[in-house]
Amino acid sequence: MDVTQKRKNFFDIFPVPEVMLLSTSGISISDQGLKFFQFRRGIFGRSLPPAYLSVDLPEGTIKAGEIQNQATLTSVLKDLSSKHGIRYVHATLPEEKAYLFTSYIPKGPTSGLRDAVAFILEENVPLTLADAVFDYETVRSEDPGFIKVTVTVLPKVVVDSYIKAFEDAGITPVSFTLESQAVARAVVVRGEPMTQLVINLERERAGFYVVEDEVVQFSAIQSQSDIGELKSELKKVLAYWDTQVNKEEHQEKKIEKVLMAGSRSRDGEVAYAMTKESGLACTAADVWVNLPADHMKVSKELYENSSDYAAAIGLSLPGLV
């Protein structure tokens, strides 16, 4: 594979039969609940209105991304599968349990790139290679002698627990990705190389994702989300990225744009505060920006609440574009 090309999925598990691509489902999972989204195509490729659903989880089912009650999560997934006929799905893994780092690897045979990433894994995360599940994406590099890779790592025990929850519910997870990358896939224009900050504002937490060349380079989670705490976290993220921009070697590009997604992205007071703190215009993200026109059969209710489903929509896109 040419390392300059994007990898299709993160944590690919099973190949999908061609017939299953007629219906692409995404499920994003957080401590609070599940968001389900499914683009549907009928016979002869005819587009059907999407299916979607938000399901709250009983308190304590998942805590800080770690499954505390496997039976409850499996039961919720099984019920969702029964109602919507879900058999194959793209899903999220918890951002809170992930490690994300960027590295520059000297150019060599592309067949050895994964081994090169594995070699530096333990230098960058507090996990042994045997206890970790990792994947990587390549990003455009200004240095012709290096390949820039963004690496995502999770504890194997965490990944296994999510696989078990889905499989016990009779659902095959086609691929897993982090919430940050799923949101970016939905709201960042395909082919856009510029560095952007995506702020994903949810009810009880907020995610700050720095995205370059469509790949998340850095993510931070703020567990509280009042305006003062959001401003403080934004300041930290911008300060950190400035250090990356000003490095002598392998400098990163400046953030040029801020996109706001999530259920609170429509809050004008929050948007004003983020704009003032960042010095950049904070605009509402468009979760439909990468959707082909023939799939734009969206109800008024869904359109008005579409930001809530950004991650699930991003998960659903790979089978369509």
Side-chain angles (χ1 to χ4, degrees):
M1 182 185 76
D2 184 346
V3 298
T4 61
Q5 295 178 345
K6 290 283 184 297
R7 298 172 63 82
K8 284 187 177 180
N9 295 308
F10 171 54
F11 292 152
D12 287 326
I13 299 178
F14 303 111
V16 186
E18 185 70 23
V19 67
M20 292 303 167
L21 296 180
L22 291 173
S23 180
T24 305
S25 303
I27 297 179
S28 64
I29 305 177
S30 69
D31 290 8
Q32 289 71 45
L34 314 181
K35 291 288 194 305
F36 161 72
F37 199 93
Q38 183 186 70
F39 288 111
R40 301 183 300 166
R41 288 182 289 182
I43 58 174
F44 308 118
R46 185 170 59 88
S47 177
L48 300 174
Y52 61 98
L53 188 66
S54 178
V55 182
D56 290 335
L57 286 174
E59 188 174 354
T61 302
I62 300 176
K63 187 175 181 180
E66 187 172 347
I67 300 173
Q68 304 290 316
N69 191 325
Q70 191 93 26
T72 298
L73 179 58
T74 294
S75 176
V76 172
L77 288 169
K78 188 176 292 186
D79 184 58
L80 192 61
S81 173
S82 176
K83 288 180 178 177
H84 291 276
I86 303 168
R87 295 294 178 266
Y88 293 83
V89 71
H90 301 280
T92 57
L93 287 171
E95 200 86 25
E96 294 90 338
K97 296 299 181 183
Y99 301 95
L100 183 70
F101 69 90
T102 297
S103 185
Y104 288 79
I105 296 175
K107 278 192 174 177
T110 58
S111 59
L113 185 56
R114 187 170 184 85
D115 288 340
V117 172
F119 184 76
I120 63 171
L121 198 71
E122 294 181 20
E123 302 172 11
N124 291 276
V125 301
L127 292 170
T128 66
L129 187 58
D131 294 330
V133 177
F134 76 93
D135 206 354
Y136 64 91
E137 293 187 86
T138 59
V139 187
R140 292 185 183 92
S141 173
E142 301 298 326
D143 192 328
F146 289 85
I147 298 170
K148 182 180 179 182
V149 293
T150 294
V151 185
T152 308
V153 190
L154 283 104
K156 186 175 185 298
V157 65
V158 171
V159 178
D160 287 346
S161 70
Y162 278 83
I163 291 175
K164 177 175 172 54
F166 278 101
E167 292 188 337
D168 286 353
I171 301 172
T172 298
V174 178
S175 69
F176 284 111
T177 189
L178 296 184
E179 179 181 52
S180 56
Q181 190 62 57
V183 172
R185 186 177 292 150
V187 304
V188 173
V189 176
R190 194 166 295 271
E192 177 56 75
M194 79 164 65
T195 302
Q196 304 177 58
L197 175 62
V198 177
I199 305 176
N200 188 33
L201 297 164
E202 299 178 339
R203 284 180 300 173
E204 298 179 16
R205 67 172 189 160
F208 295 80
Y209 318 137
V210 179
V211 185
E212 177 191 336
D213 196 26
E214 300 179 66
V215 179
V216 176
Q217 307 287 295
F218 171 84
S219 72
I221 300 294
Q222 168 60 258
S223 59
Q224 301 297 320
S225 56
D226 68 54
I227 290 181
E229 288 164 327
L230 289 173
K231 288 173 64 176
S232 177
E233 187 64 26
L234 175 59
K235 187 180 294 185
K236 292 177 186 176
V237 170
L238 294 174
Y240 166 76
W241 197 253
D242 279 345
T243 66
Q244 305 306 301
V245 171
N246 294 320
K247 287 190 303 186
E248 291 186 8
E249 187 179 18
H250 302 312
Q251 294 177 334
E252 302 295 349
K253 296 187 293 186
K254 290 183 178 180
I255 294 171
E256 299 180 50
K257 189 175 182 180
V258 180
L259 295 174
M260 294 177 59
S263 58
R264 296 185 63 199
S265 62
R266 299 178 294 273
D267 187 326
E269 186 178 1
V270 174
Y272 174 77
M274 297 296 97
T275 297
K276 188 173 181 181
E277 189 65 44
S278 66
L280 297 166
C282 296
T283 59
D286 179 5
V287 300
W288 311 113
V289 69
N290 292 311
L291 189 66
D294 63 343
H295 285 86
M296 285 297 292
K297 291 189 175 182
V298 178
S299 67
K300 181 180 179 182
E301 178 189 8
L302 175 57
Y303 185 82
E304 291 176 348
N305 295 284
S306 57
S307 288
D308 300 5
Y309 292 88
I313 290 170
L315 291 168
S316 302
L317 283 173
L320 297 176
V321 295

